Amino acid sequence: MRFEEDSVDCVDFIVRKDDILTVILGGGKGTRLLPLTEKRSKPAVSFGGKYRLIDIPISNSLNSGFEKIFVLTQFNSYSLNRHVHRTYSSNSIHQKSFIEIIAAEQTVSNVNWFEGTADAVRKVLPYIREQKPKYLLILSGDQLYNMDLSDFMQSHLMDPETEISVACNSVSGDMIYGLGIVQTGPGGFIKEFIEKPQDISQVESCRNENGNFLANMGIYIFNTKTLIEVLEDPSMTDFGKEILPRAIKERKVKAYNYEGYWEDIGTIKAFYEANLMLTDDIPKFNLYLEKTPFYTRPRSLPPTKINNAIVNRALISEGTILNHCEVHRCVIGVRQRIEYGTKIYDSIVMGLDRYGTTHRTQGNIPIGIGPNCEIRNAIIDKDCAIGNGVKLLNKHNHQEYEDDYVKIREGIIVVPKHTAIPDGYEI
């Protein structure tokens, strides 16, 4: 199903694109992704060298023909709001298309901030009603997938009794913890929903024929009338914990089995592995598909300059300068500078927001990564200055550690944003 200028045939229905509104949830505090989320929300975290995580759901929605989008933001929202505004404010694919930020706000009728996924949508219902949509597509702002959401909508509309649809992905038994697991019955309707099981015995009855489980992806379609009704109880603040378990007992809730790649970026390790996966010959999450591009902010940057450097299995973003260095299985962000004699392995270097000669607070350390460094299994956040001869190796195999310059999480070295590491530092 693809949307034309005004409408589309879907089974026995005519669905106008104006009937569908996408709501993207800007994420909570993202504590499991600290320190990357210390100064920004999860959807604002850089990904793949030049993107932000929020670009993924926005691009999926636009590529599927759903061009009316609200992005709900709250925690550490400045960076996210700025990126969405700079990237999508001029979106004019069609006259009635828009991508707008709705920030959490205190009002006369409600003085509380967003208190959960469902509560966030409840609090913006006045803005949703203004658009008069028949269907609400609700997406998470911090997941990786490349889904034709119009197929999801078609599945929702195939049975007129369907009131809510839940996109699901098949996961193995070791991945069920922290996810919502569903069991389906005739017609694909959900008959059981277990949110974040603590033991596999709780979900044994939910195994499918290949021994795996169907997990809630946090991607939903609601008939607008149904959404308004299920949000009437203000004590119900979360879709996964409260809304869906009650809804399957009272309403027709359908599972949509998405068989493609999906990753919920919930931890430092998950973020690290998802980025480095992009360097595979044929990555599970493919940025190089012509018909479904991923959008981000256009930058007027010069081409990447490589001066006698060795580069193997790496993504190198525009504006980067590599001088007599080695880069192996890495993702390198925009404007990054890496100097002679430095070797970087299995790492993510997020790049620089601007060109400069020295760190703004530590003026004796040149911005970028200095000469004769060795870096392995690390995430270097934005705008860092790494001095001469720095060794980031985790020699003692710390799983959790921190000092004035680095924080090790799940065995991965993280250099927080704006950090300056002096010459000769080793870990």
Side-chain angles (χ1 to χ4, degrees), residues 28-45:
K29 293 181 180 180
T31 54
R32 291 189 299 159
L33 211 57
L34 286 169
L36 299 180
T37 51
E38 186 175 339
K39 299 178 181 179
R40 57 166 83 88
S41 63
K42 281 175 63 179
V45 174

PDB file of all heavy atoms in Angstrom, residues 28-45:
ATOM      1  N   GLY A  28      12.143   8.703  27.526  1.00  0.00           N
ATOM      2  CA  GLY A  28      12.263   9.134  28.914  1.00  0.00           C
ATOM      3  C   GLY A  28      13.682   9.554  29.237  1.00  0.00           C
ATOM      4  O   GLY A  28      14.406  10.075  28.384  1.00  0.00           O
ATOM      5  N   LYS A  29      14.106   9.297  30.471  1.00  0.00           N
ATOM      6  CA  LYS A  29      15.420   9.762  30.915  1.00  0.00           C
ATOM      7  C   LYS A  29      16.572   8.975  30.299  1.00  0.00           C
ATOM      8  O   LYS A  29      17.699   9.446  30.261  1.00  0.00           O
ATOM      9  CB  LYS A  29      15.498   9.686  32.438  1.00  0.00           C
ATOM     10  CG  LYS A  29      14.562  10.666  33.133  1.00  0.00           C
ATOM     11  CD  LYS A  29      14.700  10.572  34.645  1.00  0.00           C
ATOM     12  CE  LYS A  29      13.766  11.563  35.340  1.00  0.00           C
ATOM     13  NZ  LYS A  29      13.878  11.484  36.816  1.00  0.00           N
ATOM     14  N   GLY A  30      16.323   7.758  29.829  1.00  0.00           N
ATOM     15  CA  GLY A  30      17.369   6.975  29.167  1.00  0.00           C
ATOM     16  C   GLY A  30      18.550   6.672  30.062  1.00  0.00           C
ATOM     17  O   GLY A  30      19.701   6.718  29.625  1.00  0.00           O
ATOM     18  N   THR A  31      18.288   6.306  31.322  1.00  0.00           N
ATOM     19  CA  THR A  31      19.370   6.112  32.285  1.00  0.00           C
ATOM     20  C   THR A  31      20.307   4.966  31.910  1.00  0.00           C
ATOM     21  O   THR A  31      21.500   5.003  32.229  1.00  0.00           O
ATOM     22  CB  THR A  31      18.796   5.857  33.689  1.00  0.00           C
ATOM     23  OG1 THR A  31      17.861   4.766  33.635  1.00  0.00           O
ATOM     24  CG2 THR A  31      18.078   7.092  34.209  1.00  0.00           C
ATOM     25  N   ARG A  32      19.791   3.943  31.232  1.00  0.00           N
ATOM     26  CA  ARG A  32      20.646   2.800  30.873  1.00  0.00           C
ATOM     27  C   ARG A  32      21.634   3.156  29.764  1.00  0.00           C
ATOM     28  O   ARG A  32      22.566   2.400  29.498  1.00  0.00           O
ATOM     29  CB  ARG A  32      19.793   1.606  30.455  1.00  0.00           C
ATOM     30  CG  ARG A  32      18.997   0.990  31.599  1.00  0.00           C
ATOM     31  CD  ARG A  32      18.361  -0.311  31.176  1.00  0.00           C
ATOM     32  NE  ARG A  32      17.425  -0.126  30.069  1.00  0.00           N
ATOM     33  CZ  ARG A  32      17.043  -1.096  29.247  1.00  0.00           C
ATOM     34  NH1 ARG A  32      17.523  -2.326  29.405  1.00  0.00           N
ATOM     35  NH2 ARG A  32      16.173  -0.849  28.276  1.00  0.00           N
ATOM     36  N   LEU A  33      21.427   4.306  29.114  1.00  0.00           N
ATOM     37  CA  LEU A  33      22.333   4.727  28.054  1.00  0.00           C
ATOM     38  C   LEU A  33      23.285   5.830  28.532  1.00  0.00           C
ATOM     39  O   LEU A  33      24.000   6.426  27.732  1.00  0.00           O
ATOM     40  CB  LEU A  33      21.539   5.209  26.835  1.00  0.00           C
ATOM     41  CG  LEU A  33      22.178   4.992  25.456  1.00  0.00           C
ATOM     42  CD1 LEU A  33      22.485   3.524  25.229  1.00  0.00           C
ATOM     43  CD2 LEU A  33      21.271   5.522  24.355  1.00  0.00           C
ATOM     44  N   LEU A  34      23.291   6.088  29.826  1.00  0.00           N
ATOM     45  CA  LEU A  34      24.274   7.034  30.367  1.00  0.00           C
ATOM     46  C   LEU A  34      25.686   6.498  30.139  1.00  0.00           C
ATOM     47  O   LEU A  34      25.892   5.285  30.162  1.00  0.00           O
ATOM     48  CB  LEU A  34      24.039   7.222  31.870  1.00  0.00           C
ATOM     49  CG  LEU A  34      22.829   8.069  32.273  1.00  0.00           C
ATOM     50  CD1 LEU A  34      22.572   7.943  33.772  1.00  0.00           C
ATOM     51  CD2 LEU A  34      23.047   9.534  31.904  1.00  0.00           C
ATOM     52  N   PRO A  35      26.694   7.371  29.896  1.00  0.00           N
ATOM     53  CA  PRO A  35      26.647   8.835  29.915  1.00  0.00           C
ATOM     54  C   PRO A  35      26.242   9.498  28.604  1.00  0.00           C
ATOM     55  O   PRO A  35      26.270  10.724  28.516  1.00  0.00           O
ATOM     56  CB  PRO A  35      28.092   9.188  30.269  1.00  0.00           C
ATOM     57  CG  PRO A  35      28.897   8.107  29.635  1.00  0.00           C
ATOM     58  CD  PRO A  35      28.077   6.852  29.774  1.00  0.00           C
ATOM     59  N   LEU A  36      25.865   8.721  27.592  1.00  0.00           N
ATOM     60  CA  LEU A  36      25.485   9.324  26.314  1.00  0.00           C
ATOM     61  C   LEU A  36      24.233  10.187  26.455  1.00  0.00           C
ATOM     62  O   LEU A  36      24.012  11.107  25.663  1.00  0.00           O
ATOM     63  CB  LEU A  36      25.246   8.237  25.257  1.00  0.00           C
ATOM     64  CG  LEU A  36      26.449   7.338  24.929  1.00  0.00           C
ATOM     65  CD1 LEU A  36      26.072   6.320  23.863  1.00  0.00           C
ATOM     66  CD2 LEU A  36      27.641   8.172  24.480  1.00  0.00           C
ATOM     67  N   THR A  37      23.402   9.887  27.454  1.00  0.00           N
ATOM     68  CA  THR A  37      22.156  10.636  27.647  1.00  0.00           C
ATOM     69  C   THR A  37      22.256  11.628  28.816  1.00  0.00           C
ATOM     70  O   THR A  37      21.239  12.107  29.301  1.00  0.00           O
ATOM     71  CB  THR A  37      20.987   9.668  27.890  1.00  0.00           C
ATOM     72  OG1 THR A  37      21.340   8.738  28.930  1.00  0.00           O
ATOM     73  CG2 THR A  37      20.650   8.902  26.630  1.00  0.00           C
ATOM     74  N   GLU A  38      23.464  11.923  29.229  1.00  0.00           N
ATOM     75  CA  GLU A  38      23.632  12.873  30.329  1.00  0.00           C
ATOM     76  C   GLU A  38      23.216  14.280  29.916  1.00  0.00           C
ATOM     77  O   GLU A  38      22.660  15.040  30.715  1.00  0.00           O
ATOM     78  CB  GLU A  38      25.085  12.871  30.790  1.00  0.00           C
ATOM     79  CG  GLU A  38      25.339  13.720  32.017  1.00  0.00           C
ATOM     80  CD  GLU A  38      26.765  13.592  32.518  1.00  0.00           C
ATOM     81  OE1 GLU A  38      27.434  12.585  32.191  1.00  0.00           O
ATOM     82  OE2 GLU A  38      27.202  14.497  33.236  1.00  0.00           O
ATOM     83  N   LYS A  39      23.459  14.634  28.651  1.00  0.00           N
ATOM     84  CA  LYS A  39      23.181  15.995  28.176  1.00  0.00           C
ATOM     85  C   LYS A  39      22.195  16.022  27.021  1.00  0.00           C
ATOM     86  O   LYS A  39      21.977  17.065  26.407  1.00  0.00           O
ATOM     87  CB  LYS A  39      24.483  16.677  27.756  1.00  0.00           C
ATOM     88  CG  LYS A  39      25.489  16.818  28.892  1.00  0.00           C
ATOM     89  CD  LYS A  39      26.788  17.450  28.421  1.00  0.00           C
ATOM     90  CE  LYS A  39      27.784  17.571  29.563  1.00  0.00           C
ATOM     91  NZ  LYS A  39      29.079  18.155  29.131  1.00  0.00           N
ATOM     92  N   ARG A  40      21.600  14.884  26.709  1.00  0.00           N
ATOM     93  CA  ARG A  40      20.637  14.817  25.592  1.00  0.00           C
ATOM     94  C   ARG A  40      19.678  13.664  25.841  1.00  0.00           C
ATOM     95  O   ARG A  40      19.966  12.760  26.624  1.00  0.00           O
ATOM     96  CB  ARG A  40      21.379  14.602  24.267  1.00  0.00           C
ATOM     97  CG  ARG A  40      22.237  13.350  24.297  1.00  0.00           C
ATOM     98  CD  ARG A  40      22.703  12.948  22.922  1.00  0.00           C
ATOM     99  NE  ARG A  40      23.881  13.643  22.459  1.00  0.00           N
ATOM    100  CZ  ARG A  40      25.140  13.269  22.684  1.00  0.00           C
ATOM    101  NH1 ARG A  40      25.390  12.188  23.431  1.00  0.00           N
ATOM    102  NH2 ARG A  40      26.148  13.919  22.183  1.00  0.00           N
ATOM    103  N   SER A  41      18.550  13.667  25.176  1.00  0.00           N
ATOM    104  CA  SER A  41      17.608  12.551  25.261  1.00  0.00           C
ATOM    105  C   SER A  41      18.077  11.414  24.350  1.00  0.00           C
ATOM    106  O   SER A  41      18.896  11.617  23.448  1.00  0.00           O
ATOM    107  CB  SER A  41      16.206  13.004  24.852  1.00  0.00           C
ATOM    108  OG  SER A  41      16.197  13.421  23.500  1.00  0.00           O
ATOM    109  N   LYS A  42      17.554  10.215  24.565  1.00  0.00           N
ATOM    110  CA  LYS A  42      17.962   9.063  23.760  1.00  0.00           C
ATOM    111  C   LYS A  42      17.773   9.292  22.261  1.00  0.00           C
ATOM    112  O   LYS A  42      18.672   8.998  21.476  1.00  0.00           O
ATOM    113  CB  LYS A  42      17.196   7.805  24.199  1.00  0.00           C
ATOM    114  CG  LYS A  42      17.745   7.153  25.452  1.00  0.00           C
ATOM    115  CD  LYS A  42      16.876   5.996  25.913  1.00  0.00           C
ATOM    116  CE  LYS A  42      16.827   4.878  24.901  1.00  0.00           C
ATOM    117  NZ  LYS A  42      16.006   3.741  25.377  1.00  0.00           N
ATOM    118  N   PRO A  43      16.624   9.805  21.811  1.00  0.00           N
ATOM    119  CA  PRO A  43      16.456   9.976  20.366  1.00  0.00           C
ATOM    120  C   PRO A  43      17.426  10.975  19.742  1.00  0.00           C
ATOM    121  O   PRO A  43      17.588  10.993  18.526  1.00  0.00           O
ATOM    122  CB  PRO A  43      15.006  10.465  20.239  1.00  0.00           C
ATOM    123  CG  PRO A  43      14.330   9.974  21.469  1.00  0.00           C
ATOM    124  CD  PRO A  43      15.367  10.067  22.541  1.00  0.00           C
ATOM    125  N   ALA A  44      18.067  11.809  20.565  1.00  0.00           N
ATOM    126  CA  ALA A  44      19.022  12.787  20.042  1.00  0.00           C
ATOM    127  C   ALA A  44      20.438  12.249  19.962  1.00  0.00           C
ATOM    128  O   ALA A  44      21.334  12.930  19.459  1.00  0.00           O
ATOM    129  CB  ALA A  44      19.001  14.053  20.906  1.00  0.00           C
ATOM    130  N   VAL A  45      20.678  11.015  20.432  1.00  0.00           N
ATOM    131  CA  VAL A  45      22.015  10.434  20.394  1.00  0.00           C
ATOM    132  C   VAL A  45      22.421  10.168  18.943  1.00  0.00           C
ATOM    133  O   VAL A  45      21.621   9.697  18.130  1.00  0.00           O
ATOM    134  CB  VAL A  45      22.069   9.130  21.221  1.00  0.00           C
ATOM    135  CG1 VAL A  45      23.414   8.442  21.058  1.00  0.00           C
ATOM    136  CG2 VAL A  45      21.807   9.430  22.689  1.00  0.00           C
TER     137      VAL A  45
END
